[in-house]
Structure formats: structure tokens, C-alpha cells
Amino acid sequence: FPMAEPAAADPRVLALAAQVTESREQDIPLLLLKLKGILNSASLSYEESKKIKQDIYNYDLTQYCMLILRQDHSKLRGGWATAAQLAEILSHCCVGLEVKEDPEEFYKEFLPSVIDNLLFLGRRLQARFIRAIKGEEKQDFLHWFQTVTDAICWLFGGHIQLAARVLQNDHFLQLLITDDVETAVLMMSVLHNVLRVNSSVLLQVDGETLHSVLDEIVYKLSSTSNPVVGNAATKLLLLVAKFCKQLVKLLTTRYKGLKDLLSKQWSGKGFDRDLSQLLDLLSLDQSSGKGEMQRQHQAACIIQAVWRGFQTRKRLKKLPQAVVTLQRRFRAKREQELQHLKKEKEDEALKLQMQLQRQRAMRLFHERQLALLEIVHASQVNKYMEEMEGKSALTIQRFWRGYRARRNFHQQKQSLKEYKAAVVIQRAACKFLEKRRRRRPLSPWKDPKGLTDEQRLALQQKVDDYIKLHPASQMSEEMSKELHTQAQEKLAQFLLRSSLDRRAAQRRETLLAQVNTDVELLMNAPGLAETTEKDLDVFMSRSMPVATKARQSHNTMLKYTRWPWWKKLGDEFMEDDVIPDDALNAELGTLFIGGKK
């Protein structure tokens, strides 16, 4: 800190500065309240009071007070009451203080910051006062808000240059723009004090700020019937008209109905004296420029009449088309809404009907089950339930397979079209080639030419030469016997193999007869809708290998039917339901038995 000489410093201020330096942040506001007792000492003279304020400023206690005003006091010890008291203490410390060292910082930086923080604190208190519900709480916040406004008035009363700073602050205009009566009256009293301290302050601020303040005052006169607000606003306008003659013309030109508003709405409300003075000032200014105003008013009326006539004629021309468009859109929208409502009703009716059908079916099913359970013997209940579960499972599987088959059919529809087209093309080509082959004439038979004597002698000579070059080897008796033995063994093997081939042929004939029998059974089998359990037993095989082989053959057939058309170009001239044996033998080497479609 910028320390003063220990002998000249007040011991109470020095001790308080030491406590603030060593204390925690949340304890500082309560410690600073001790400044009120130091400043209000009865034995202090004017010079001593000024010396104490100088010491407080030199030890930065005023800086602490200013910074604490920015904090949220709802979370600090002492609450908002401490904030209001600190605002009062800060304003008293700043008034009557003469800073000799670096006065520019005090007047141009410190005091404007104090004004900003006080107005910011006032906004917080005003917001909490408006939100408060309990009567005691509202009174407390109103009292603290009044304390802060009094501190602001005391501060700019001691430093006149701060009056313009107050008006140009954004927080001040936001405090003034409120619908609450109590805080609005207090803020208008602050503005009243500003004008009394510095009568020309409205001429020193920028035009936007001036218009905003005057707009808010006139708005309060026109939007409320509370006599307290009306009295305060009237006194403010009277003060403005008295001190700032230049602003009277602004009031009469910017707010043309202000005189009628004041005379009609606020007459006889208890402040007629101030009201009559304000009306006289406004009338005096209006009388001087009455002729010019009348001419301008007449010109404006003519321009408005011409413009309104033009707009009316233009609107009348467009009216039929606009009415037709509006009616068309309205009817379309109404039709759309009716269709939507109709669809919703139909959906709801369908949903309700399906729900009723489902409930009725479930009720009938449960009734049927209960009736059957009453008929069935107790020992047969489990068996009956198992049969019902099996039938239910079969029904579900049947529906699922049908759905899957239909889905696969739709997926393979395009492939089926290509397959049939290829069949038609290949059939036509084969018929064309067959006709062409039949038309080709057969060549007559020609006997082979016989050999002449010379050719025969030449050929005989070649054979003799070959025999001379490759003479036959001489075979011994033992080799002849061994060759005879080998021939006998091969003959025995051939005879044995021929017997096995005969047995295999007989087995094939037997299987072929069985296959023919099965084919006849399948061809003569009834449809699925007419099939009974006895018919199923006829086609049931007790051999697991046979069932497995049949399943494999069925899968092979399905795979063959799903082949692309270009793979089956060589087989397209068969019947559509005939599968080549080569394909089946190449796939599984087994036999496929198919029934009728």
C-alpha cells in the first residue's frame, strides 16, 4: 500500500487496514462496516474528518469497498444490508476528500468506477425487490435500494462532474425503465437531484441518452394512472422546461400530444400547480411557432390524404385476386384437415376393430381350451397340451414357409423372366437347326475301291520286311505254362466279376422297380389339402440314410432351379420340370424322386 507516515495516520484506520489485509475474503465486508463508526465520531472536526478520509483512501479501504459492491452478497456474510451500508460509507468517504497525489486517477478513474458499481448494486437490489413475495422482504429490499440511491445522490452532489456520468451510464437507464412504482419514483427523484445539482446536464449528454430519458418520462405519464408517478414525472418535465429553455421546443415537437395528455389525464390529481406551470411553458413555446406549425400540419395532412388515397385504390385493385387466393388456400387447408381427420378416424376404427377381433379370438380360444380341458381326462392333459403345441408350431411354420416362398418368388421374378426368355430363344434356335438338318440330302453309299495286284504285292512285301526286321521270340514250355496259368486266373476273375455285375444289375432292377412304385405313389398322391395321416404313413421312410439322401436330392434340385439362365443353356430344350441326370450325378451321385406339381 502507499503508506503515509505512521505518526500522521489515524490508529483506528491503521488497525482496520491491518485486519482487512490479514482476514479472509468473506470476512472483509463486515470489517469494513467499522468505517461508519470512525466517520461518525462526534468529536471530529472538519479538518480531522478530511484527514481520516484521506487515510482511508491512502490505505485502499475505499478500493475494497468499491470492489465488494460488485460481488453477489446473497452468498456473503451480512447479505445485502451490508452492501447498502458499504455504499453509504463509500459515498461519504469520497465526498470532501481532496487527493493531492495523482488527482487525475481519483477523478477520472476511481469516481466513475464508484458510480458504475453503485448503479450496478442498485440494479441487483431492484431485481430482487421485484421478485420478492413476502411483504417484509420487499420492504427490506426497498429500504436498501433507497440507501443506495441516496448514496449516489450524495456522491454526485459532492462531485458535480459525475452528474453527466450518471445519466450516460447504461445501468441508470435500465433502472429508470421499470414498471414498478416504488423504484420508479426513487429513480425519478435521483434524476430530479441530478437536474438540481447541474441544471445544464441534459445539454451535456449525447442526443440518444437525452431522447431515451425524455421518452421514458413521457411514457410513464401516458402508460400509468398512478398519481405518485404522474406527480414525479410532471415535476421532472417542469424542471427540464425551467432550467433548459432549449428543450421546451424539443418537448413540443417530439411529443405533439403531450399537452393534451397532461390536460386531460392528469388534471385534478393533486398537483395542479406544477401541471399548470408546465402547460403554460409548453403553450408559450407553441404560440411562437403556431403559424409555421399550422402550415406544416396542413401540408402533412395533404400529403397523407394523397398517399392514403393511392394506397386505398391500389389495395382495392388487388382485393378480388387476394380474396380468391385466400378462399382457395382456406378451402385447400380445410379439405386437407378434413382428410386428415377422416384418415385418423378410419385408422382408429380399424385399430379398434382389430383389437376387438383379437380379443374375441383370444376369448374363444380360451373358452375352447377350457371346454376341452373339462372333457379330457386329467391323466391326458399333458399329452393333449403337447399335441396342441405341436399343431401350433406346425401352423406357425406353415405360414412362415409360405411367406418365405412368396418373398423368394418376388425376389427371383426377374431371374425367372430371363430364364424363360432364354428358353424361348434356345427352343427356336434348336427348331431352326433341326429343320435345316432334315433338309440336307444324304450322300449315296460308295463301295471302297479294291486293291490292284501291284498294290497287293507291294503291301505283302512291306509286311515281310517288317517281320524280318522284328522276328518273334521263341517261348519255352515253362513260359507257356506260366502264361496259361495267368490266363486261367484272369478268366476266373472275369467270371467272378461277371457274377457280381449280375447281382448289381439285379439290385438296380429291384431299386428301379421300387423307384417306379414310389413314382406311381407320388403321381397318384392326393393334394396337400386332402392328405390324411394314413397317406403320410405311406410316404414315410423308416431308414435314416434314405431320408437324408432324399433331403440332399431335394436341396440339389432347388439349387439347380436357382442357377442363372446362362448356366443352363445346354438343357433348355428339355421339359421345364425335368432336371438333367448329369447335374444331379455331378452334385451328389444320387437319385431324385419328384412328384407332381
Side-chain angles (χ1 to χ4, degrees), residues 39 42 58 92 204 256 336 431 433 467 539:
L39 293 171
N58 290 336
H92 283 81
Q204 297 174 4
K256 296 183 181 300
Q336 186 178 2
K431 287 182 178 179
L433 294 175
I467 291 173
F539 298 98

Side-chain angles (χ1 to χ4, degrees), residues 229-265:
V229 178
N231 188 15
T234 303
K235 287 183 178 180
L236 270 176
L237 290 179
L238 179 60
L239 199 62
V240 170
K242 282 183 177 181
F243 290 160
C244 306
K245 300 297 183 180
Q246 299 91 329
L247 298 180
V248 177
K249 188 175 182 180
L250 176 63
L251 290 174
T252 55
T253 55
R254 185 175 177 87
Y255 312 104
K256 296 183 181 300
L258 179 61
K259 185 178 178 180
D260 296 335
L261 174 67
L262 292 173
S263 60
K264 293 180 181 179
Q265 184 172 344

Side-chain angles (χ1 to χ4, degrees), residues 421-454:
V423 168
V424 172
I425 293 171
Q426 293 177 358
R427 183 180 293 118
C430 288
K431 287 182 178 179
F432 171 75
L433 294 175
E434 181 67 20
K435 290 179 180 179
R436 189 174 179 180
R437 185 180 60 81
R438 289 177 181 176
R439 291 176 184 174
R440 185 181 300 169
L442 296 175
S443 59
W445 174 256
K446 296 180 180 181
D447 294 332
K449 296 180 179 180
L451 297 174
T452 61
D453 294 339
E454 296 178 356

Side-chain angles (χ1 to χ4, degrees), residues 475 478-490:
M475 185 178 297
E478 295 176 356
M479 292 179 65
S480 299
K481 290 180 179 180
E482 184 178 356
L483 183 60
H484 177 73
T485 304
Q486 291 178 359
Q488 291 294 329
E489 290 177 358
K490 289 182 180 181

